[in-house]
Amino acid sequence: MTVAALSEAAAGRDDLSVWPASTSRLRHGGLSVGGVSLTEIAERFDTPVYVLDEGEVRARCRTYRDAFPEADVLYAAKAFLSRAMVRWMDEEGFGLDVCSAGELELAVTSGFLPERITLHGNAKSPRDIATALRLGVGRIVIDSPSEIARLAAAVGPDGRQKVLVRVVPGVSAGGHEKIRTGTAGQKFGLSLTDGSAQHAIARILGQPQLEPAGLHCHIGSQITEVKPYVAALRRMVGLMARIRDSHGIVLPELNMGGGHGIAYRPGEPALDLTALARRLRTELLESCAAAGLAVPRLAIEPGRAVVGPAGVALYRVLAVKQTGDRGFVAVDGGMSDNPRPALYGVRYAPRLVGRSSTAPDRTATVVGRHCEAGDILAADVQLPGDVHPGDLLAVPVAGAYHLSMASGYNLVGRPPVVAVHEGTARLLVRRETLEDIRHRDIGG
Ligand code: LLP
């Protein structure tokens, strides 16, 4: 390698652009997040461990509030939920989007006002609906015609529940085929183009227990461009105007879902939230004016962009080897705490922390400890050539859809979550122990 290429590799190795803003370099290759050394966290809480920068989560909430002052911003709990997260969202003035009785109960029992919660789901169980009605959830999103009469019956003659209709606007967007939900041929929502969304509104109007509060759409996830949102909004406003024309009602709310994309590796694009807010606002005003429609209250539901970049996964290297022409670095976590590379082919940028190395970089594949060849955390990444067992590897942008999708594979147990803030670390969710796992299996 030339000197220039060497320093370029070293710069790449040291690029902190996708790390939380509070990240700083310490001596001897150390790194701190939220004022706490990652090496100390690994020693105190053991590995694997997920670190969540509270300040970064809150700063991201404020970016949303500043960009969308006139809208309701709901945090999509499926990205990551814990009691502390519920409290932070409450303090930051967010609403919540939940999709199960479990997420809903956790939020409400942590003190979150049920009126500020919206319940989603393409297949809500009787328990989901009973819990939502018992706790007094603010809005329920209708996802199929069959749930309209069922929900009305569950509300009962004296009640009234606000509902939104989930619409498939026919706009395709999203970072992977499995997370594109804006067009027909996937399980969510009711089509705008074939008339089923409008038909659902007619059926809701026939149920006095249901109050049609508005329309909802979520076109996909990990979207990095503003354009598809603008196209979807235009179509949604068109549908609102048609609903007014045929049913004589003006729906007061329009929820445009989440899906705001983030960078997982340096140099990757992220959605520009300020541009999104500006373009949505302009399009909303213009298309409502053109249709002679009162401007509905806008809501958005980001998950990943609130919490993803605030999380860091810390692993200990357990084994290093070369097989064929590939070098493997195996760590003490894997697909049970992060199934995303296996599911969506997502690429991460792990980094050595807690030790400085002058060894030139080598291409390595970071794998997990699970008994499966597809248990790959980061394929073909550059790591110092002297990485060895006992080293610490950190994976940034680990806050969303890791632990919320964690599994019990190989009975390894799910990692703990540690919050860091202003120089202190505190445990939010403890590690799942073998005893926890044994307890569930009653041995019958
Ligand atoms: N609203 C609704 C109705 C949703 O279904 C979702 C995500 C969101 C909001 C939040 O989307 P976000 O802003 O987080 O992109 N497991 C996948 C992502 C699945 C997203 C499911 N729905 C991943 O790891 O990339």
Side-chain angles (χ1 to χ4, degrees):
M1 226 191 262
T2 63
V3 175
L6 258 176
S7 64
E8 204 175 285
R13 185 194 281 187
D14 206 27
D15 187 330
L16 296 176
S17 58
V18 298
W19 282 71
S22 70
T23 308
S24 63
R25 296 173 184 84
L26 304 175
R27 275 187 306 165
H28 311 303
L31 218 51
S32 78
V33 177
V36 186
S37 146
L38 292 181
T39 312
E40 277 172 37
I41 290 179
E43 276 159 14
R44 181 169 155 206
F45 298 97
D46 206 356
T47 54
V49 55
Y50 276 73
V51 181
L52 197 55
D53 182 345
E54 178 180 343
E56 180 74 24
V57 172
R58 290 186 186 273
R60 288 179 168 270
C61 291
R62 284 168 201 168
T63 302
Y64 270 106
R65 295 256 36 110
D66 291 347
F68 291 90
E70 74 290 357
D72 289 323
V73 189
L74 286 75
Y75 169 65
K78 69 209 82 185
F80 169 72
L81 197 65
S82 73
R83 291 184 188 282
M85 194 70 191
V86 170
R87 200 171 58 247
W88 301 344
M89 292 306 112
D90 190 19
E91 288 165 3
E92 297 300 332
F94 271 40
L96 274 186
D97 139 12
V98 301
C99 59
S100 70
E103 289 177 355
L104 179 57
E105 289 251 21
L106 187 85
V108 175
T109 56
S110 307
F112 206 88
L113 274 185
E115 301 94 271
R116 288 173 44 217
I117 304 180
T118 294
L119 174 72
H120 285 279
N122 71 301
K124 298 174 198 78
S125 71
R127 188 169 156 244
D128 292 332
I129 291 178
T131 307
L133 297 177
R134 173 172 55 82
L135 297 177
V137 81
R139 284 154 191 76
I140 297 181
V141 182
I142 300 286
D143 198 284
S144 69
S146 60
E147 68 180 320
I148 297 172
R150 188 156 68 96
L151 178 60
V155 171
D158 303 326
R160 194 155 159 83
Q161 173 65 51
K162 278 191 184 167
V163 296
L164 305 177
V165 170
R166 169 126 181 204
V167 177
V168 181
V171 174
S172 177
H176 188 273
E177 173 218 323
K178 288 178 189 151
I179 53 176
R180 288 186 197 125
T181 49
T183 48
Q186 50 76 43
K187 70 176 186 171
F188 293 103
L190 294 154
S191 169
L192 179 146
T193 43
D194 74 2
S196 19
Q198 204 170 327
H199 189 61
I201 290 284
R203 289 180 62 170
I204 290 166
L205 286 169
Q207 303 282 357
Q209 297 86 350
L210 304 183
E211 177 185 335
L215 300 182
H216 175 281
C217 73
H218 171 77
I219 55 177
S221 205
Q222 185 56 3
I223 300 168
T224 51
E225 292 189 343
V226 170
K227 243 184 171 171
Y229 287 103
V230 177
L233 185 131
R234 193 175 303 140
R235 291 183 184 200
M236 297 292 279
V237 171
L239 177 58
M240 287 183 137
R242 287 199 294 286
I243 289 169
R244 184 231 13 226
D245 296 343
S246 15
H247 306 291
I249 57 152
V250 176
L251 297 171
E253 298 174 17
L254 176 59
N255 184 325
M256 291 301 296
H260 311 158
I262 57 175
Y264 281 90
R265 292 183 301 167
E268 287 180 357
L271 184 66
D272 178 343
L273 294 180
T274 317
L276 177 73
R278 187 169 14 98
R279 298 278 304 282
L280 285 185
R281 189 177 303 122
T282 310
E283 183 59 40
L284 185 62
L285 294 177
E286 285 179 4
S287 45
C288 285
L293 198 68
V295 179
R297 184 161 176 85
L298 189 67
I300 52 167
E301 290 170 344
R304 185 193 317 266
V306 173
V307 75
V312 175
L314 264 184
Y315 302 104
R316 187 76 68 184
V317 174
L318 295 180
V320 171
K321 73 174 162 194
Q322 189 79 20
T323 70
D325 55 1
R326 260 183 128 178
F328 288 97
V329 172
V331 298
D332 54 1
M335 68 194 304
S336 67
D337 63 83
N338 180 9
R340 302 191 69 253
L343 275 173
Y344 320 111
V346 180
R347 314 221 31 204
Y348 287 86
R351 142 189 196 122
L352 172 70
V353 289
R355 169 174 84 76
S356 43
S357 166
T358 50
D361 276 358
R362 240 199 330 236
T363 305
T365 290
V366 178
V367 294
R369 54 160 299 167
H370 295 281
C371 287
E372 179 154 336
D375 176 24
I376 293 170
L377 282 174
D380 300 327
V381 292
Q382 296 302 306
L383 284 175
D386 62 351
V387 165
H388 54 73
D391 274 342
L392 271 182
L393 289 191
V395 177
V397 203
Y401 303 110
H402 284 214
L403 290 182
S404 63
M405 295 175 75
S407 75
Y409 194 31
N410 295 150
L411 304 190
V412 161
R414 286 169 288 180
V417 184
V418 171
V420 288
H421 194 46
E422 294 171 351
T424 30
R426 64 185 203 280
L427 190 63
L428 299 186
V429 182
R430 70 161 170 79
R431 186 181 302 283
E432 187 176 32
T433 63
L434 293 185
E435 206 181 347
D436 292 329
I437 296 168
R438 262 201 316 272
H439 259 118
R440 284 190 61 227
D441 184 340
I442 55 170

